[in-house]
Amino acid sequence: AQSVTQPDIHITVSEGASLELRCNYSYGATPYLFWYVQSPGQGLQLLLKYFSGDTLVQGIKGFEAEFKRSQSSFNLRKPSVHWSDAAEYFCAVGASNTDKLIFGTGTRLQVFP
Amino acid sequence: DGGITQSPKYLFRKEGQNVTLSCEQNLNHDAMYWYRQDPGQGLRLIYYSQIVNDFQKGDIAEGYSVSREKKESFPLTVTSAQKNPTAFYLCASSIGSGGPEGTQYFGPGTRLTVL
């Protein structure tokens, strides 16, 4: 069965520290991978996406993610976190042979000054 | 500005009443989606539509209904048959379905509270 796992429900980091949010997927076809961010009471904003090519993709707000096929992972990183990055982050996976995205359950990021 | 609008942002209804949530997009996208979000459960797909006058059930369609009479509009009705309708509802759209064209863009959401 297709699935997306975000192992960390809640992460706390200090402002200025580096960040890595984990995402693992199980998918039979070649996956298309996405990271979204959601501020409280708001909709989801697309941070970045991977379809093919270079496995390191750059997104908005200084985020990047690396696709590792051997590990079935698509982890999100940021070298220096800002207080405004506090939000919930969702990983999602799709494919060319499906018309739906599968979302992980999210990771809530808290940033301390 | 192109985008997705959902109205209202907050909605209160009495138990047993049907309620319709609005979703409009001016992105010229063919596909539209409705999700329900509850704390700790991520997003669950209610209904989706790949083209006008056609839609499919998602994972939790019971107690909900939709229509897609216009490309830009995809209203969701929460019926009295929905056992626990209080939730945050998100609408999304994409150019097409599947592959890169399936990249979904989201509206701001509607928080429905049933009293």
Side-chain angles (χ1 to χ4, degrees):
Chain A
Q2 302 150 355
S3 66
V4 177
T5 302
Q6 294 181 247
D8 304 305
I9 296 173
H10 186 202
I11 284 183
T12 302
V13 300
S14 298
E15 190 170 19
S18 63
L19 173 71
E20 182 168 27
L21 302 182
R22 294 183 292 165
C23 174
N24 295 98
Y25 66 90
S26 173
Y27 217 81
T30 301
Y32 297 122
L33 296 156
F34 306 84
W35 273 101
Y36 289 87
V37 61
Q38 183 182 34
S39 296
Q42 303 297 317
L44 274 68
Q45 181 183 21
L46 180 67
L47 281 175
L48 48 77
K49 55 192 175 184
Y50 171 79
F51 299 134
S52 64
D54 192 346
T55 56
L56 184 64
V57 294
Q58 303 296 320
I60 62 171
K61 302 176 187 261
F63 284 94
E64 66 178 27
E66 185 171 13
F67 171 56
K68 293 186 177 180
R69 186 185 298 275
S70 61
Q71 298 177 21
S72 297
S73 69
F74 188 57
N75 293 349
L76 182 70
R77 300 194 296 247
K78 187 169 185 177
S80 178
V81 172
H82 189 263
W83 64 266
S84 60
D85 293 324
E88 188 146 23
Y89 292 80
F90 292 93
C91 180
V93 62
S96 59
N97 61 350
T98 180
D99 48 15
K100 297 186 284 186
L101 294 184
I102 298 173
F103 286 84
T105 52
T107 297
R108 182 169 298 280
L109 174 65
Q110 192 171 7
V111 180
F112 280 117
Chain B
D1 283 342
I4 303 171
T5 57
Q6 293 186 242
S7 60
K9 187 168 180 63
Y10 299 96
L11 190 54
F12 297 89
R13 280 294 182 269
K14 292 183 179 179
E15 193 171 341
Q17 289 182 334
N18 290 356
V19 60
T20 297
L21 282 61
S22 169
C23 178
E24 304 276 333
Q25 54 96 1
N26 61 4
L27 301 169
N28 199 33
H29 286 177
D30 282 323
M32 297 186 74
Y33 311 80
W34 273 106
Y35 292 91
R36 170 180 172 140
Q37 186 176 29
D38 296 282
Q41 295 196 45
L43 277 69
R44 292 184 290 170
L45 182 64
I46 304 173
Y47 269 98
Y48 63 105
S49 168
Q50 297 171 286
I51 198 168
V52 174
N53 292 322
D54 188 39
F55 48 83
Q56 290 78 41
K57 292 182 179 180
D59 303 317
I60 56 164
E62 185 175 352
Y64 299 97
S65 66
V66 294
S67 63
R68 186 83 187 278
E69 297 176 0
K70 299 186 295 183
K71 186 176 185 177
E72 59 270 24
S73 178
F74 191 40
L76 173 74
T77 296
V78 184
T79 74
S80 57
Q82 169 52 231
K83 299 301 181 189
N84 184 19
T86 294
F88 190 54
Y89 291 87
L90 287 159
C91 179
S93 70
S94 61
I95 294 173
S97 299
E101 291 191 346
T103 302
Q104 294 183 19
Y105 298 90
F106 285 79
T110 292
R111 183 164 299 280
L112 172 64
T113 302
V114 175
L115 306 172

